[in-house]
Amino acid sequence: MFSLLSHNTFGIDVNATRFLEYASVEELKQQIAQGAITTPFLHIGGGSNLLFTKDYDGLVLHSCIGGIEVTEETEQSVSLRVGAGVVWDDFVAYCVRSGWYGVENLSLIPGEVGASAVQNIGAYGVEVKDLITAVETVNFRGEERVYTVGECEYSYRNSIFKRPENRTVFVTYVCFRLSKKEKFTLDYGTIRQELEKYPKMTLDIVRKVIIDIRESKLPDPKVMGNAGSFFMNPILSREKLETLQQEYPRIPYYELNDGQVKIPAGWMIDQCGWKGKSLGPAAVHDKQALVLVNRGGAKGSDIIALSDAVRISVREKFGIDIHPEVYIIDN
């Protein structure tokens, strides 16, 4: 048995039957050819978007493929090929130091580069799908394939790689295109307000502001187990929003391109009185209601019980179903 305590940011004390890491495409293909990758298996990144409800009766795989390579560069942009095992925030820091625009709003998101392409991570008005150009993969049979960004079928916190039939596809490299010309996304949350504290706006400053905002709201997983945002923000029709505004005129929302709107799930959870409340060792974070935390010794079932109670409250008060963003492992 292999302990997964250090491989999930919720800090759930569970084990896997086997654990296997690989550091290159060649090593992965060799492991496949030798029959070392047996079913059932689970491929993880940094474990920052997982909730284990019990021991995993199978193989847990983890990529250690590293490297950040410039594949093309013009006056306007730079194209990069990044190993799936690179820590996401290390990649963001590298880009900011290099003067490349695009990923700075995604600073301090936990996890690894490979998982960013599977999950379509996003924050403060930016989604990684708008920066990805291609995703390189190897499947369970050892076959390599490159998916164009269009083939990834990205949507809000979703991609083709999250479908059950594609769980046997392993992301090995992610290709990005970033801007070398100044290009910021600032009209989300309190970014502009926080920037007023500084005499000028640079990539370094924007990254610092994003980190400061996140740290003011989100607990450090090393101190208090969590997976960041536990729930996805629901997307509604404008008609549904207008109905809600009759009862909640100050309900916050963000316009989407297709005439729909996104409602902050954290606001609704807060309105239901859950912020700072706990059920046993699981709690809703007192600074950001979108985050569920392990106060110490929580099991996956404790987190699920709290999640279910919160979801029922939101459904009863607003008539809206909110869904976990976190991948729940219950095999």
Side-chain angles (χ1 to χ4, degrees):
M1 299 292 281
F2 183 91
S3 174
L4 297 173
L5 185 59
S6 64
H7 289 275
N8 73 98
T9 59
F10 250 121
I12 306 296
D13 190 8
V14 292
N15 298 297
T17 307
R18 293 174 57 222
F19 184 83
L20 181 66
E21 291 183 314
Y22 57 91
S24 68
V25 171
E26 292 69 29
E27 186 180 353
L28 172 60
K29 292 172 73 172
Q30 185 179 40
Q31 297 281 8
I32 292 170
Q34 293 173 350
I37 300 178
T38 55
T39 56
F41 62 82
L42 173 69
H43 197 292
I44 66 171
S48 58
N49 202 49
L50 302 176
L51 176 61
F52 289 95
T53 60
K54 56 184 177 181
D55 287 344
Y56 186 75
D57 186 19
L59 167 68
V60 170
L61 274 169
H62 178 241
S63 171
C64 293
I65 296 176
I68 302 173
E69 173 193 1
V70 175
T71 56
E72 185 181 354
E73 192 167 2
T74 69
E75 289 185 6
Q76 302 291 326
S77 66
V78 59
S79 296
L80 305 164
R81 181 175 183 253
V82 187
V86 172
V87 173
W88 174 260
D89 196 55
D90 290 350
F91 170 56
V92 175
Y94 182 89
C95 294
V96 168
R97 286 196 304 271
S98 302
W100 302 329
Y101 297 80
V103 292
E104 60 280 354
N105 284 33
L106 306 180
S107 291
L108 211 64
I109 292 179
E112 297 172 356
V113 166
S116 77
V118 173
Q119 179 71 3
N120 184 24
I121 61 171
Y124 304 107
V126 174
E127 285 185 304
V128 77
K129 71 177 177 62
D130 297 321
L131 307 168
I132 289 174
T133 56
V135 178
E136 299 180 27
T137 68
V138 172
N139 68 17
F140 189 57
R141 295 183 296 277
E143 300 163 340
E144 296 184 51
R145 175 178 171 182
V146 179
Y147 290 78
T148 66
V149 67
E151 290 173 326
C152 294
E153 297 184 24
Y154 283 122
S155 58
Y156 177 55
R157 301 296 177 271
N158 204 3
S159 74
I160 196 172
F161 307 112
K162 293 184 76 172
R163 295 178 185 170
E165 65 268 25
N166 288 324
R167 292 277 161 79
T168 57
V169 174
F170 313 128
V171 174
T172 54
Y173 287 89
V174 184
C175 301
F176 300 88
R177 182 177 294 119
L178 304 179
S179 175
K180 292 172 68 176
K181 301 295 183 181
E182 184 174 300
K183 186 179 182 182
F184 291 116
T185 301
L186 306 174
D187 295 319
Y188 202 100
T190 59
I191 298 176
R192 286 194 184 276
Q193 181 182 329
E194 294 297 318
L195 282 169
E196 291 174 2
K197 300 175 183 177
Y198 298 90
K200 61 179 181 178
M201 183 170 58
T202 65
L203 262 176
D204 283 320
I205 294 298
V206 172
R207 172 167 161 79
K208 183 181 187 309
V209 162
I210 295 294
I211 289 173
D212 288 347
I213 292 172
R214 287 186 69 89
E215 288 184 334
S216 72
K217 295 180 177 181
L218 304 176
D220 184 346
K222 298 183 183 68
V223 178
M224 186 180 295
N226 72 92
S229 299
F230 191 90
F231 298 102
M232 292 186 286
N233 293 317
I235 295 173
L236 312 177
S237 66
R238 176 155 284 283
E239 290 75 19
K240 176 67 173 176
L241 171 65
E242 290 169 355
T243 300
L244 286 168
Q245 284 174 324
Q246 293 173 18
E247 189 169 354
Y248 308 100
R250 300 184 67 178
I251 186 170
Y253 64 93
Y254 299 98
E255 297 278 1
L256 300 178
N257 293 331
D258 51 7
Q260 296 181 303
V261 295
K262 187 188 297 181
I263 306 294
W267 180 85
M268 292 189 291
I269 296 167
D270 191 8
Q271 294 297 305
C272 292
W274 275 105
K275 186 184 281 187
K277 297 290 179 64
S278 61
L279 277 182
V284 177
H285 189 46
D286 59 359
K287 293 181 181 177
Q288 170 53 272
L290 203 57
V291 178
L292 304 189
V293 298
N294 176 358
R295 297 171 63 210
K299 298 178 180 178
S301 56
D302 296 320
I303 306 294
I304 294 294
L306 176 60
S307 165
D308 289 345
V310 168
R311 294 176 68 188
I312 289 169
S313 293
V314 171
R315 187 184 306 122
E316 289 177 348
K317 188 175 182 69
F318 296 97
I320 295 173
D321 284 314
I322 57 174
H323 300 282
E325 180 177 323
V326 171
Y327 179 34
I328 297 167
I329 313 297
D330 55 6
N331 83 326

